[in-house]
Amino acid sequence: MAGHVAVVNMPVVSPSAKRYHHGNLRAALIDAGVERAREGGPEAVVLREVSRLAGVSHNAAYRHFADRDALLQAVCDRCMSELARLMEAGIAEVDPDERSVQAARLRLRATGMAYVEFALSEPGWFRTAFAVPPGLGYLDGEEGVGAGGHGPLELLGEQLDGLLDAAALPAERRAGAELAAWSAVHGFAMLVLEGPLRSLPDEERDAALTRLLDTVERGL
Amino acid sequence: MAGHVAVVNMPVVSPSAKRYHHGNLRAALIDAGVERAREGGPEAVVLREVSRLAGVSHNAAYRHFADRDALLQAVCDRCMSELARLMEAGIAEVDPDERSVQAARLRLRATGMAYVEFALSEPGWFRTAFAVPPGLGYLDGEEGVGAGGHGPLELLGEQLDGLLDAAALPAERRAGAELAAWSAVHGFAMLVLEGPLRSLPDEERDAALTRLLDTVERGL
DNA sequence: CTAGCGATGTTGCTGCCATCAACTTATGTA
DNA sequence: TACATAAGTTGATGGCAGCAACATCGCTAG
């Protein structure tokens, strides 16, 4: 996503040529929104500023998005996808063919670590990913998915299934396990990022994360 | 806090008499801010609107607060205090003299339940409590405390100490237990309130909360 | 080949907000 | 009792979201 440039549906003309019709404005606006969100989070996704970045006048955006929230929604999706990709990458670091309890546990742990690492390394994107405008329900389907076509929740579920298969998770506890694990890492990220623990020293923060993941592993 | 009316430092004159000097504007502004936050969360704490509610012109607020963020900060504190009070109330429902493992566990559970109940019953206040403006670190000291003078983090810590005393928590796991437990309930509240799980049916939500608290209890 | 229509951008409003500066009124104190 | 100062007010500026009316372009039917 970093340095992302829309490649699909590129304008037929040279991008430098200043034309009345942009040719690919919708994608350009989302790109610009993602860029701003990276620095300043969801509140930095400002229609006028984003339009300026896209080299177009304010109001042009209204041809492609009903209002600011619609643009923000699209930007949120992209941020969520980025999170999914990072989680996929973390999971993939454990040999996919390995079926041991150990491997299943490592994968779950990697999932949680990737989640928090994303929050800490890209706070703007992380906050944006969860800043879906009120009223709009998360569709949980096609949007916000990683390269494998699965969203964060599905990725987490797959790791829990892996734990189940490896007999490291009692079957009667499988239900609802997603939400328990997810809540833990999400809350940690929020508290540390913009909550009361925002000024916790890095060292203590990392120790607390390890402690947290241990707790989840024991408790699930 | 509901229907809260500032009693300390009330103006010496009848409140209905329209005077040039309000007499107690600072408190009135905070009250109005809390009222708006209840409905619309932190973004509803708007200087002009709050001033209107206090029956004073915009800009009057600048005699009492450096800027909007300073007012918001004060409102956040009040919301956090309200959370602390609800947690205290939940904890107090278990006989304070009872020292059993059972009682200690119930108290921890009540703490978490109160936390989530506050988030669900007063979403505006909950979101505001954690919306301390960036740059301002949480002081974690005098602010945001309940009737007993303790903040949410301290209240949680006390319950964990209780678990320790009752030998329901190994001493080597006491460190960092606050953050683990807190993260879980906080993440749950966020995900359910404004996150991807915002449209989860009440029934499933309650079941998930039970499952979550079980997990924490086992894992700590 | 070309007229014109619809899609895409632009200019110029309105109304809301935060904040600054300059002015006014009340209060308490010397 | 005068006046310094705290507390409120009026009236700017500049930014943002969104509406309306106008301008330009590109494609397609005839």
Side-chain angles (χ1 to χ4, degrees):
Chain A
M1 199 163 197
H4 171 98
V5 174
V7 179
V8 285
N9 299 328
M10 276 299 275
V12 197
V13 298
S14 142
S16 56
K18 183 138 196 184
R19 312 167 34 99
Y20 191 91
H21 284 89
H22 182 287
N24 198 20
L25 187 52
R26 185 187 163 87
L29 289 170
I30 299 181
D31 286 345
V34 168
E35 183 184 331
R36 296 304 299 122
R38 187 174 200 175
E39 298 304 319
E43 58 273 18
V45 180
V46 171
L47 266 184
R48 287 170 113 93
E49 173 67 10
V50 161
S51 299
R52 269 188 292 268
L53 281 176
V56 99
S57 88
H58 73 277
N59 270 358
Y62 288 98
R63 297 292 170 194
H64 302 276
F65 299 96
D67 54 16
R68 176 188 178 267
D69 278 353
L71 168 61
L72 181 55
Q73 166 82 278
V75 174
C76 291
D77 281 348
R78 289 262 297 257
C79 293
M80 190 63 85
S81 293
E82 183 61 15
L83 170 58
R85 273 190 287 272
L86 222 75
M87 291 172 68
E88 284 173 343
I91 294 165
E93 282 186 7
V94 181
D95 177 2
D97 296 324
E98 179 67 49
R99 297 279 162 189
S100 64
V101 170
Q102 170 84 347
R105 289 220 173 100
L106 280 177
R107 274 186 215 104
L108 178 64
R109 218 169 171 95
T111 310
M113 288 286 288
Y115 195 96
V116 174
E117 274 165 15
F118 178 68
L120 294 177
S121 64
E122 295 290 354
W125 280 347
F126 180 78
R127 291 198 298 125
T128 306
F130 291 93
V132 169
L136 299 172
Y138 284 79
L139 297 192
D140 257 318
E142 302 303 306
E143 286 86 16
V145 301
H150 295 171
L153 179 55
E154 293 163 290
L155 291 170
L156 172 58
E158 290 162 13
Q159 306 325 307
L160 292 168
D161 285 341
L163 231 50
L164 191 68
D165 293 344
L169 174 67
E172 69 272 19
R173 283 198 206 147
R174 176 63 186 82
E178 275 98 342
L179 196 36
W182 193 5
S183 294
V185 288
H186 188 72
F188 182 86
M190 295 298 290
L191 291 173
V192 155
L193 213 57
E194 46 178 342
L197 302 174
R198 59 173 65 159
S199 46
L200 198 67
D202 289 11
E203 195 180 312
E204 292 179 43
R205 194 193 58 204
D206 295 345
L209 177 56
T210 301
R211 170 75 169 88
L212 174 73
L213 295 177
D214 288 345
T215 303
V216 171
E217 202 171 295
R218 264 194 303 269
L220 274 181
Chain B
M1 198 161 198
H4 170 101
V5 174
V7 179
V8 285
N9 298 329
M10 277 298 275
V12 197
V13 297
S14 142
S16 55
K18 182 138 194 183
R19 312 167 36 98
Y20 190 91
H21 283 85
H22 182 286
N24 198 20
L25 186 51
R26 185 187 163 87
L29 289 170
I30 299 181
D31 286 345
V34 168
E35 182 184 331
R36 296 304 299 122
R38 187 175 201 173
E39 298 305 318
E43 59 273 17
V45 180
V46 172
L47 266 184
R48 286 170 113 96
E49 173 67 9
V50 161
S51 298
R52 270 188 292 267
L53 282 175
V56 99
S57 88
H58 74 277
N59 269 359
Y62 287 98
R63 296 292 169 191
H64 302 276
F65 299 96
D67 53 18
R68 175 189 179 267
D69 277 352
L71 169 61
L72 181 56
Q73 165 82 279
V75 174
C76 291
D77 281 348
R78 290 263 296 258
C79 293
M80 190 63 85
S81 293
E82 184 60 16
L83 170 57
R85 272 191 287 274
L86 222 76
M87 291 172 69
E88 283 172 343
I91 293 165
E93 281 186 7
V94 181
D95 177 2
D97 296 325
E98 179 66 49
R99 297 279 162 187
S100 64
V101 169
Q102 170 85 348
R105 289 220 174 100
L106 280 178
R107 275 186 214 105
L108 178 64
R109 221 171 169 95
T111 310
M113 287 287 287
Y115 195 97
V116 174
E117 275 166 15
F118 178 67
L120 294 176
S121 64
E122 294 291 355
W125 280 347
F126 180 78
R127 290 199 298 124
T128 306
F130 291 93
V132 169
L136 299 170
Y138 284 79
L139 298 191
D140 256 317
E142 301 303 307
E143 286 85 18
V145 300
H150 295 172
L153 179 55
E154 293 164 289
L155 290 170
L156 173 57
E158 290 162 12
Q159 307 323 308
L160 292 168
D161 285 341
L163 231 51
L164 191 68
D165 292 346
L169 175 66
E172 68 274 17
R173 283 198 206 148
R174 177 62 186 81
E178 275 98 341
L179 197 34
W182 193 4
S183 294
V185 289
H186 188 70
F188 182 86
M190 295 299 291
L191 291 173
V192 156
L193 212 58
E194 44 179 342
L197 303 174
R198 59 174 63 160
S199 48
L200 197 68
D202 290 11
E203 196 181 312
E204 293 178 43
R205 194 193 58 204
D206 295 346
L209 177 55
T210 301
R211 170 74 169 90
L212 174 72
L213 295 177
D214 288 346
T215 303
V216 171
E217 202 169 297
R218 263 193 304 268
L220 274 181

